[in-house]
């Protein structure tokens, strides 16, 4: 059925020989993260301004009204449930909307409101009276482009005169066509085809160029070069908005090559900690014991949702089948699934249709699931040498603590080797992990 394969296993972490699963690509991780997110990631850190135009002072706004947006657009913003700008938006939006236009490089972790910021800027820069593409947004993959387009469509729901076109795989147009839509959202390859090769639109008339997920972009062979080819044909005064979730040398080198005289803003990721987390372990003799422990835990999950991490795909599907067989509503996110299926699973879990999500270490590494209150390590995270993978443990269990919500982590230990891993984790964080009897999991709530 032509299911898109966005380079699953192409990039990402080094392969773990103990695992029967290929790692997911940065693009897919970013997509899954977007799907599962319910709202903003809050962040108490301050915005860092790394470079600014000395002639125009940087300011920030505390309300969307202060931006003097088109009323229909403002209505769209409120209809999305956005009451006030997020931290990155407070600082980014005034610059993105300023006249004369300024270039911007903005970096903050996924979920902090970057997409909403540049989509708002894109929409408010459109002149609907001009029937040609004025705004061009590059995304690394088909799915990410669609996500951005959906945000734009929602925000522009009261601005029916603004037209958007996707330049992605599957979109075909006859030679000689001249596009009339105001906004083009697409992947680099297709945009090179449409804008450079077939000239379905004039890159020389584009006044806003957005490069989204730059860090993901550079992880794909060829995307950087295609971006440069597109960039070369843009007018000199085209406003450039460059966004990235991470801030590494290669991303900044890419940015330097594309964005001249930028305002650079960053919002550093808040440190995760185990402070608000109750950590327990349950001693199990075998797989059946582990299953019993899980079933008991499932019984007490009355608030929120749980996520269960297994080391292999096989264990994950075994567990999911067994729990389903026992009448529990569980979701399984596994490497066997095509990307649309993964999206569907995470959609359902986000909407609370299942209380429990079972997954593998590989698939869920780096994906934050904020609404989860209980994390179960069916298998503890280990590295290639079978030593404790403390970083993954922290990321999975840790919170930034800002919600004051207490989390709960339960580790299943099935022998001396796993117990040793648990001790390594305890020592690493200097925090005790208490023993829990499988029979009286009630005491955890
Ligand atoms: P990023 O691009 O940094 O990953 P998004 O723009 O996708 O972040 O925003 C993350 C989530 O927060 C989305 O669900 C989005 O709808 C929501 N969101 C964005 N801006 C706001 C805001 N100002 N108020 C409330 N929710 C917001």
């Amino acid at each position: 059925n032509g299911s898109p394969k966005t380079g699953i296993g192409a990039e990402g972490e080094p392969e773990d020989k103990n695992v029967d699963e290929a790692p997911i690509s940065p693009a897919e991780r970013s997509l899954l993260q977007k799907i599962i997110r319910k709202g903003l990631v809050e962040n108490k850190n301050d915005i860092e301004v790394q470079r600014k135009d000395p002639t125009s002072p940087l300011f920030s706004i505390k309300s969307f009204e202060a931006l003097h947006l088109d009323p229909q657009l403002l209505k769209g913003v409120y209809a999305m449930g956005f009451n006030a700008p997020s931290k990155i938006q407070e600082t980014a939006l005034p610059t993105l909307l300023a006249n004369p236009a300024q270039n911007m490089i903005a970096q903050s972790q996924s979920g902090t409101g970057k997409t909403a910021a540049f989509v708002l800027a894109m929409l408010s820069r459109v002149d609907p009276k001009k029937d040609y593409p004025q705004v061009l947004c590059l995304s690394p993959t088909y799915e990410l482009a669609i996500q951005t387009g959906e945000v734009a469509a929602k925000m522009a729901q009261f601005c029916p005169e603004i037209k958007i076109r996707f330049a992605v795989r599957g979109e075909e147009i006859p030679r000689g066509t001249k596009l009339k839509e105001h906004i083009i959202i697409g992947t680099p390859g297709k945009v090179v085809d449409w804008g450079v090769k077939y000239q379905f639109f004039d890159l020389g008339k584009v006044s806003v160029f957005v490069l989204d997920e730059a860090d993901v972009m550079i992880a794909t062979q060829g995307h950087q070069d295609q971006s440069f080819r597109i960039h070369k044909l843009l007018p000199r005064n085209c406003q450039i908005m460059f966004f990235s979730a991470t801030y590494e040398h290669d991303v900044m080198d890419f940015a330097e090559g594309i964005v001249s005289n930028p305002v650079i803003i960053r919002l550093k990721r808040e440190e995760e900690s185990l402070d608000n987390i109750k950590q327990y372990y349950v001693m199990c003799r075998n797989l059946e014991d582990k299953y019993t422990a899980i079933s008991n835990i499932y019984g007490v999950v009355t608030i929120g949702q749980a996520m269960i991490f297994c080391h292999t795909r096989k264990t994950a599907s075994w567990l999911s089948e067994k729990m389903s067989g026992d009448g529990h509503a569980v979701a399984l996110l596994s490497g066997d699934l095509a990307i649309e299926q993964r999206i569907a699973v995470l959609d359902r879990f986000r909407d609370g249709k299942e209380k429990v999500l079972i997954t593998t270490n590989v698939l869920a590494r780096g994906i934050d699931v904020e609404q989860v209150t209980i994390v179960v390590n069916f298998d503890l995270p280990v590295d290639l040498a079978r030593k404790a993978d403390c970083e993954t443990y922290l990321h999975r269990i840790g919170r930034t603590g800002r919600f004051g919500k207490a989390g709960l982590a339960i580790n299943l230990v099935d022998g001396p080797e796993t117990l040793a891993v648990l001790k390594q984790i305890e020592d690493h964080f200097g925090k005790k992990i208490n023993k829990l009897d499988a029979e009286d999991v009630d005491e955890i709530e």
Side-chain angles (χ1 to χ4, degrees):
N1 61 357
S3 70
K5 294 269 184 292
T6 42
I8 295 165
E11 274 97 19
E13 272 77 25
E15 262 190 72
D16 184 339
K17 294 286 179 299
N18 300 314
V19 171
D20 55 351
E21 197 166 53
I24 60 172
S25 67
E28 195 181 347
R29 172 159 325 141
S30 175
L31 177 71
L32 297 180
Q33 179 74 72
K34 272 185 204 288
I35 304 292
I36 198 134
R37 174 146 306 291
K38 267 190 175 152
L40 279 171
V41 170
E42 290 185 30
N43 189 310
K44 286 214 195 77
N45 289 334
D46 288 325
I47 296 275
E48 293 175 18
V49 179
Q50 310 234 306
R51 204 188 304 165
K52 63 174 184 229
D53 182 351
T55 59
S56 54
L58 200 64
F59 63 101
S60 73
I61 41 105
K62 291 287 177 201
S63 75
F64 287 112
E65 275 91 359
L67 293 167
H68 305 293
L69 298 164
D70 172 276
Q72 295 307 102
L73 194 49
L74 184 64
K75 205 170 147 192
V77 169
Y78 286 138
M80 293 178 83
F82 301 177
N83 299 320
S86 73
K87 201 152 203 173
I88 191 97
Q89 290 163 0
E90 286 179 356
T91 308
L93 283 170
T95 298
L96 294 176
L97 297 171
N99 284 313
Q102 292 190 50
N103 291 344
M104 167 163 271
I105 297 172
Q107 178 265 326
S108 62
Q109 83 195 72
S110 171
T112 46
K114 297 185 296 300
T115 306
F118 71 72
V119 166
L120 181 56
M122 280 164 48
L123 292 169
S124 69
R125 291 282 189 196
V126 164
D127 179 354
K129 289 191 285 299
K130 297 178 179 154
D131 61 349
Y132 57 82
Q134 303 149 37
V135 175
L136 173 62
C137 172
L138 291 189
S139 295
T141 63
Y142 172 94
E143 291 82 6
L144 288 165
I146 301 294
Q147 290 289 321
T148 300
E150 284 175 358
V151 175
K154 240 189 234 163
M155 209 176 265
Q157 60 184 295
F158 303 108
C159 311
E161 67 288 357
I162 300 181
K163 304 287 181 222
I164 303 169
R165 179 89 194 213
F166 288 111
V168 293
R169 158 172 57 72
E171 294 285 325
E172 300 304 336
I173 41 181
R175 297 278 167 91
T177 304
K178 290 287 171 210
L179 293 175
K180 293 195 181 336
E181 288 85 0
H182 308 106
I183 298 178
I184 294 191
I185 302 173
T187 50
K190 197 75 172 184
V191 170
V192 167
D193 280 354
W194 284 18
V196 184
K197 210 163 142 199
Y198 302 120
Q199 300 183 346
F200 292 149
F201 68 101
D202 186 355
L203 281 165
K205 284 184 168 172
V206 167
S207 51
V208 173
F209 179 58
V210 180
L211 218 148
D212 188 23
E213 308 240 10
D215 48 345
V216 174
M217 202 76 98
I218 57 173
T220 309
Q221 189 74 29
H223 275 175
Q224 212 170 148
D225 286 343
Q226 287 163 333
S227 304
F228 285 130
R229 281 183 71 187
I230 295 161
H231 177 249
K232 250 194 244 146
L233 296 175
L234 298 172
R236 203 204 292 256
N237 60 355
C238 178
Q239 182 184 20
I240 303 184
M241 310 177 178
F242 185 103
F243 290 85
S244 174
T246 62
Y247 194 87
E248 278 131 20
H249 270 299
D250 48 356
V251 180
M252 291 320 284
D253 287 348
F254 181 31
E256 296 288 327
I258 294 252
V259 200
S260 55
N261 295 322
V263 173
I264 305 178
I265 63 169
R266 286 191 70 184
L267 181 61
K268 280 204 186 130
R269 205 189 167 94
E270 228 178 305
E271 295 296 327
E272 290 162 319
S273 91
L274 296 174
D275 289 349
N276 266 334
I277 315 295
K278 289 189 205 155
Q279 302 176 79
Y280 294 100
Y281 74 96
V282 182
M283 226 29 224
C284 306
R285 276 157 310 189
N286 50 37
L287 209 56
E288 287 303 317
D289 256 15
K290 279 179 151 184
Y291 184 74
T292 308
I294 288 281
S295 305
N296 293 343
I297 292 161
Y298 187 93
V300 298
V301 185
T302 48
I303 38 154
Q305 291 175 297
M307 220 162 145
I308 304 176
F309 290 92
C310 301
H311 198 51
T312 66
R313 173 149 80 170
K314 210 170 129 219
T315 311
S317 48
W318 170 84
L319 182 60
S320 147
E321 268 168 39
K322 205 160 158 66
M323 288 188 78
S324 303
D326 285 348
H328 303 306
V330 298
L332 173 65
L333 181 71
S334 104
D336 302 325
L337 304 178
I339 190 157
E340 300 89 343
Q341 294 171 303
R342 293 182 188 184
I343 293 173
V345 167
L346 289 182
D347 255 336
R348 288 180 55 84
F349 186 67
R350 185 200 48 211
D351 293 342
K353 297 214 171 72
E354 278 97 15
K355 281 204 297 182
V356 177
L357 179 69
I358 300 172
T359 187
T360 59
N361 299 339
V362 176
L363 226 72
R365 190 175 298 168
I367 297 178
D368 297 286
V369 186
E370 200 175 88
Q371 63 268 35
V372 163
T373 42
I374 303 185
V375 173
V376 178
N377 287 316
F378 196 84
D379 299 301
L380 287 167
V382 289
D383 62 17
L384 289 174
R386 298 221 145 245
K387 288 253 155 39
D389 178 354
C390 294
E391 201 189 316
T392 298
Y393 184 86
L394 177 65
H395 189 65
R396 216 180 259 177
I397 314 278
R399 296 288 159 86
T400 52
R402 67 236 162 204
F403 299 107
K405 254 193 285 181
L408 181 61
I410 298 175
N411 300 291
L412 303 187
V413 172
D414 58 5
E417 199 192 333
T418 328
L419 195 59
V421 170
L422 191 87
K423 291 283 169 236
Q424 287 161 21
I425 293 172
E426 269 191 331
D427 292 347
H428 181 90
F429 295 108
K431 283 206 167 295
K432 186 141 178 54
I433 305 178
N434 294 310
K435 186 169 176 181
L436 189 70
D437 279 329
E439 285 73 38
D440 42 52
V441 279
D442 298 352
E443 76 183 56
I444 60 184
E445 277 199 334

